[in-house]
């Protein structure tokens, strides 16, 4: 998509709006987090132990998968409280290598595997979301590592600060996001959020990405979100790291139409407005 040439005045106005937007969300998220935290401590609310479902479509990345699973087990406080749902394509070539890791860890955890073909990654995530059972739902990648000790316990504490019977999301931090008060690559939604919308990712409107943007925008539109101050995840982000661009990434990029996705993002804002109202009602 060719960018339209802007005048100096148009560029100045755009930069001012961008600057104001950053300042607003910085203070909004900062004050909201500490308000809920102070209220939680004053009222001596119970620190709940929520169960967590991890949704993981994966393809041709058995080595990265092994590193991710090892980091998960090394840093989780209560692994039996974690449900890991994995989706393979029916023609997955590295299934034996994946199974070696799964068999090693499945003895002490709840790992459920599925084999089914879909056209897009967002369809894969929604399929896994329809199968998960736990209180909190987090879509993850196979190119990450969990780096925060007892991350599950900390995440449960964050959700304990709010009424978890109502839709809510918590934005956990990864090391590859600069402005944490504007976006999270890994937003966590609760069961009430999923039950209201009956989907996790906007698979009707996008091909490969945009699920995180969609959830974060719904959070902004409703105010139903908190941002953690801890870095939970190290993300070997292939948009920024050339040495991480494997065949799975290249295949996904071939299917992705970035210009069309951006147009759809703007076009379907009215859908996000409607869904935000659903979350609030």
């Amino acid at each position: 998509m060719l960018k339209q040439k802007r005048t100096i005045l148009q560029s100045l106005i755009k930069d001012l709006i961008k600057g104001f937007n950053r300042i607003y969300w910085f203070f909004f998220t900062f004050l909201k987090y500490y308000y809920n935290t102070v209220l939680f401590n004053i009222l001596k609310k119970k620190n709940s132990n929520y169960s967590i479902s991890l949704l993981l479509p994966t393809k041709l990345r058995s080595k990265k998968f092994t590193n991710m699973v090892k980091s998960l087990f090394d840093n989780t406080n209560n692994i039996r409280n974690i449900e890991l749902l994995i989706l393979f394509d029916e023609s997955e070539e590295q299934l034996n290598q994946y199974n070696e890791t799964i068999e090693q860890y499945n003895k002490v955890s709840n790992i459920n595997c599925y084999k089914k073909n879909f056209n897009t990654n967002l369809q894969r995530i929604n399929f896994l979301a329809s199968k998960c059972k736990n209180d909190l739902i987090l879509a993850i990648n196979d190119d990450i590592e969990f780096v925060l000790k007892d991350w599950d316990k900390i995440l449960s504490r964050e959700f304990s600060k709010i009424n978890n019977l109502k839709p809510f999301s918590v934005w956990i931090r990864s090391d590859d996001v600069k402005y944490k008060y504007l976006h999270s690559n890994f937003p966590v939604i609760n069961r009430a959020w999923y039950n209201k919308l009956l989907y996790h990712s906007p698979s009707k409107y996008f091909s490969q990405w945009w699920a995180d943007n969609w959830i974060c925008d719904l959070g902004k539109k409703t105010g139903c979100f908190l941002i953690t101050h801890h870095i939970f995840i190290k993300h070997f982000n292939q948009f920024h790291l050339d040495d991480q661009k494997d065949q799975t990434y290249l295949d996904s990029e071939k299917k992705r139409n970035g210009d069309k996705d951006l147009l759809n993002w703007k076009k379907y804002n009215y859908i996000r407005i409607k869904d935000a109202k659903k979350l609030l009602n």
Side-chain angles (χ1 to χ4, degrees):
M1 180 184 294
L2 295 175
K3 293 184 177 180
Q4 293 182 344
K5 191 173 181 179
R6 296 192 300 267
T7 66
I8 294 176
L9 179 60
Q10 288 173 326
S11 297
L12 179 61
I13 292 173
K14 182 178 180 180
D15 288 341
L16 287 173
I17 293 173
K18 184 187 294 184
F20 174 79
N21 186 53
R22 288 177 179 174
I23 292 170
Y24 172 82
W25 285 111
F26 173 83
F27 282 106
F28 177 87
T29 57
F30 178 86
L31 294 173
K32 183 178 178 67
Y33 181 83
Y34 279 104
Y35 171 79
N36 282 274
T37 300
V38 169
L39 197 63
F40 175 81
N41 292 328
I42 290 175
L43 298 179
K44 296 181 179 180
K45 293 184 179 180
K46 180 183 177 182
N47 193 9
S48 300
N49 185 26
Y50 292 116
S51 58
I52 305 169
S53 292
L54 303 178
L55 315 180
L56 176 62
T58 183
K59 179 180 180 182
L60 298 176
R61 287 181 173 172
S62 57
K63 290 184 179 179
K64 290 181 178 180
F65 172 80
T66 298
N67 292 335
M68 185 280 296
V69 172
K70 184 179 185 304
S71 72
L72 171 65
F73 276 73
D74 287 346
N75 291 290
T76 299
N77 177 266
N78 182 5
I79 199 63
R80 294 188 180 278
N81 222 22
I82 304 295
E83 175 191 32
L84 176 59
L85 297 93
I86 307 167
L87 179 62
F88 302 112
D89 284 351
E90 293 175 6
S91 59
E92 174 57 53
E93 298 173 9
Q94 298 181 10
L95 191 59
N96 289 337
Q97 293 94 316
Y98 278 108
N99 283 335
E100 288 179 8
T101 301
I102 292 168
E103 289 173 5
Q104 178 183 352
Y105 289 99
N106 205 18
K107 298 174 184 177
V108 291
S109 183
N110 184 16
I111 302 178
N112 297 312
C113 300
Y114 303 88
K115 291 176 67 177
K116 192 174 177 67
N117 292 337
F118 289 95
N119 292 325
T120 72
N121 204 51
L122 299 189
Q123 290 173 345
R124 296 181 180 98
I125 293 172
N126 278 336
F127 171 79
L128 292 175
S130 71
K131 302 294 184 181
C132 74
K133 302 174 182 177
N134 287 350
D135 303 316
L136 310 178
I137 305 171
L138 168 61
I140 60 172
N141 301 346
D142 44 22
D143 59 352
I144 67 168
E145 291 182 5
F146 289 86
V147 295
L148 181 63
K149 196 69 176 176
D150 298 334
W151 69 273
D152 53 320
K153 186 176 180 180
I154 295 169
L155 181 61
S156 285
R157 178 178 171 83
E158 299 290 23
F159 270 98
S160 298
K161 296 174 183 177
I162 55 92
N163 180 1
N164 210 32
L165 296 177
K166 295 182 178 181
F168 207 83
S169 65
V170 169
W171 300 6
I172 64 175
R173 292 181 59 191
S174 56
D175 64 335
D176 59 328
V177 174
K178 183 176 182 180
Y179 300 109
K180 68 179 185 298
Y181 47 87
L182 296 179
H183 179 75
S184 169
N185 283 336
F186 302 97
V188 186
I189 63 173
N190 63 4
R191 175 59 58 179
W193 180 299
Y194 180 80
N195 289 343
K196 280 281 188 178
L197 300 183
L198 299 178
Y199 71 87
H200 176 280
S201 300
S203 58
K204 293 181 180 179
Y205 317 114
F206 302 99
S207 54
Q208 299 302 316
W209 319 119
W210 295 88
D212 47 354
N213 305 74
W214 192 273
I215 293 172
C216 289
D217 195 50
L218 288 176
K220 288 180 178 179
K221 282 176 164 51
T222 60
C224 300
F225 75 106
L226 284 180
I227 301 176
T228 66
H229 288 201
H230 305 279
I231 293 180
F232 283 62
I233 287 172
K234 180 175 179 61
H235 186 199
F236 299 94
N237 194 322
Q238 296 161 54
F239 284 114
H240 309 305
L241 302 173
D242 288 338
D243 61 340
Q244 298 294 322
K245 293 181 178 179
D246 54 19
Q247 192 59 48
T248 300
Y249 171 82
L250 296 175
D251 289 344
S252 296
E253 283 297 288
K254 288 178 184 178
K255 297 178 182 178
R256 187 172 73 93
N257 187 329
D259 290 344
K260 182 180 178 182
D261 283 349
L262 184 57
L263 288 173
N264 282 348
W265 175 258
K266 298 174 181 178
K267 178 180 179 181
Y268 293 115
N269 182 53
Y270 80 95
I271 298 291
R272 296 195 296 280
I273 292 173
K274 286 174 59 178
D275 284 354
K277 291 178 180 178
K278 288 181 184 178
L279 293 173
L280 290 173
N281 291 332

